PDB file of all heavy atoms in Angstrom:
ATOM      1  N   GLU A 438     143.656 129.845 143.596  1.00 38.00           N
ATOM      2  CA  GLU A 438     144.390 129.551 144.817  1.00 38.00           C
ATOM      3  C   GLU A 438     143.438 129.076 145.909  1.00 38.00           C
ATOM      4  O   GLU A 438     142.396 129.651 146.138  1.00 38.00           O
ATOM      5  CB  GLU A 438     145.138 130.804 145.278  1.00 38.00           C
ATOM      6  CG  GLU A 438     146.027 130.560 146.494  1.00 38.00           C
ATOM      7  CD  GLU A 438     146.774 131.797 146.903  1.00 38.00           C
ATOM      8  OE1 GLU A 438     146.664 132.801 146.181  1.00 38.00           O
ATOM      9  OE2 GLU A 438     147.450 131.757 147.921  1.00 38.00           O
ATOM     10  N   GLY A 439     143.838 128.020 146.573  1.00 38.00           N
ATOM     11  CA  GLY A 439     143.063 127.520 147.697  1.00 38.00           C
ATOM     12  C   GLY A 439     141.986 126.537 147.298  1.00 38.00           C
ATOM     13  O   GLY A 439     141.372 125.918 148.163  1.00 38.00           O
ATOM     14  N   SER A 440     141.681 126.362 145.994  1.00 38.00           N
ATOM     15  CA  SER A 440     140.651 125.415 145.565  1.00 38.00           C
ATOM     16  C   SER A 440     141.265 124.049 145.343  1.00 38.00           C
ATOM     17  O   SER A 440     142.467 123.922 145.166  1.00 38.00           O
ATOM     18  CB  SER A 440     139.972 125.904 144.289  1.00 38.00           C
ATOM     19  OG  SER A 440     140.907 125.977 143.249  1.00 38.00           O
ATOM     20  N   ILE A 441     140.409 123.025 145.401  1.00 36.00           N
ATOM     21  CA  ILE A 441     140.902 121.656 145.229  1.00 36.00           C
ATOM     22  C   ILE A 441     140.493 121.159 143.851  1.00 36.00           C
ATOM     23  O   ILE A 441     139.313 121.155 143.498  1.00 36.00           O
ATOM     24  CB  ILE A 441     140.320 120.742 146.310  1.00 36.00           C
ATOM     25  CG1 ILE A 441     140.768 121.217 147.685  1.00 36.00           C
ATOM     26  CG2 ILE A 441     140.750 119.308 146.099  1.00 36.00           C
ATOM     27  CD1 ILE A 441     140.163 120.428 148.819  1.00 36.00           C
ATOM     28  N   TYR A 442     141.443 120.763 143.046  1.00 37.00           N
ATOM     29  CA  TYR A 442     141.195 120.285 141.678  1.00 37.00           C
ATOM     30  C   TYR A 442     140.992 118.779 141.738  1.00 37.00           C
ATOM     31  O   TYR A 442     141.940 118.017 141.788  1.00 37.00           O
ATOM     32  CB  TYR A 442     142.377 120.630 140.792  1.00 37.00           C
ATOM     33  CG  TYR A 442     142.161 120.287 139.334  1.00 37.00           C
ATOM     34  CD1 TYR A 442     141.230 120.981 138.587  1.00 37.00           C
ATOM     35  CD2 TYR A 442     142.881 119.270 138.724  1.00 37.00           C
ATOM     36  CE1 TYR A 442     141.026 120.682 137.270  1.00 37.00           C
ATOM     37  CE2 TYR A 442     142.686 118.956 137.395  1.00 37.00           C
ATOM     38  CZ  TYR A 442     141.749 119.669 136.668  1.00 37.00           C
ATOM     39  OH  TYR A 442     141.545 119.374 135.358  1.00 37.00           O
ATOM     40  N   THR A 443     139.761 118.348 141.826  1.00 43.00           N
ATOM     41  CA  THR A 443     139.448 116.930 141.957  1.00 43.00           C
ATOM     42  C   THR A 443     139.213 116.307 140.577  1.00 43.00           C
ATOM     43  O   THR A 443     138.984 116.994 139.585  1.00 43.00           O
ATOM     44  CB  THR A 443     138.183 116.740 142.805  1.00 43.00           C
ATOM     45  OG1 THR A 443     137.087 117.330 142.112  1.00 43.00           O
ATOM     46  CG2 THR A 443     138.342 117.387 144.174  1.00 43.00           C
ATOM     47  N   PHE A 444     139.226 114.966 140.576  1.00 42.00           N
ATOM     48  CA  PHE A 444     138.956 114.224 139.327  1.00 42.00           C
ATOM     49  C   PHE A 444     137.536 114.470 138.839  1.00 42.00           C
ATOM     50  O   PHE A 444     137.259 114.583 137.657  1.00 42.00           O
ATOM     51  CB  PHE A 444     139.188 112.730 139.578  1.00 42.00           C
ATOM     52  CG  PHE A 444     138.783 111.875 138.408  1.00 42.00           C
ATOM     53  CD1 PHE A 444     139.575 111.823 137.272  1.00 42.00           C
ATOM     54  CD2 PHE A 444     137.606 111.130 138.439  1.00 42.00           C
ATOM     55  CE1 PHE A 444     139.195 111.036 136.205  1.00 42.00           C
ATOM     56  CE2 PHE A 444     137.237 110.355 137.378  1.00 42.00           C
ATOM     57  CZ  PHE A 444     138.041 110.297 136.258  1.00 42.00           C
ATOM     58  N   GLN A 445     136.595 114.614 139.820  1.00 43.00           N
ATOM     59  CA  GLN A 445     135.205 114.851 139.428  1.00 43.00           C
ATOM     60  C   GLN A 445     135.046 116.191 138.708  1.00 43.00           C
ATOM     61  O   GLN A 445     134.300 116.311 137.745  1.00 43.00           O
ATOM     62  CB  GLN A 445     134.307 114.828 140.672  1.00 43.00           C
ATOM     63  CG  GLN A 445     134.107 113.437 141.261  1.00 43.00           C
ATOM     64  CD  GLN A 445     135.230 113.059 142.197  1.00 43.00           C
ATOM     65  OE1 GLN A 445     136.222 113.807 142.302  1.00 43.00           O
ATOM     66  NE2 GLN A 445     135.087 111.911 142.851  1.00 43.00           N
ATOM     67  N   GLN A 446     135.769 117.215 139.182  1.00 51.00           N
ATOM     68  CA  GLN A 446     135.704 118.523 138.528  1.00 51.00           C
ATOM     69  C   GLN A 446     136.277 118.451 137.117  1.00 51.00           C
ATOM     70  O   GLN A 446     135.759 119.043 136.181  1.00 51.00           O
ATOM     71  CB  GLN A 446     136.468 119.544 139.366  1.00 51.00           C
ATOM     72  CG  GLN A 446     135.745 119.972 140.634  1.00 51.00           C
ATOM     73  CD  GLN A 446     136.600 120.881 141.481  1.00 51.00           C
ATOM     74  OE1 GLN A 446     137.771 120.569 141.730  1.00 51.00           O
ATOM     75  NE2 GLN A 446     136.039 121.996 141.907  1.00 51.00           N
ATOM     76  N   GLU A 447     137.362 117.724 137.005  1.00 50.00           N
ATOM     77  CA  GLU A 447     137.980 117.587 135.674  1.00 50.00           C
ATOM     78  C   GLU A 447     137.039 116.866 134.724  1.00 50.00           C
ATOM     79  O   GLU A 447     136.873 117.253 133.563  1.00 50.00           O
ATOM     80  CB  GLU A 447     139.287 116.809 135.797  1.00 50.00           C
ATOM     81  CG  GLU A 447     140.033 116.678 134.465  1.00 50.00           C
ATOM     82  CD  GLU A 447     141.334 115.913 134.618  1.00 50.00           C
ATOM     83  OE1 GLU A 447     141.546 115.290 135.677  1.00 50.00           O
ATOM     84  OE2 GLU A 447     142.114 115.927 133.677  1.00 50.00           O
TER      85      GLU A 447
END
Side-chain angles (χ1 to χ4, degrees):
E438 185 179 355
S440 63
I441 298 176
Y442 185 68
T443 64
F444 173 75
Q445 288 85 353
Q446 286 175 312
E447 183 179 12

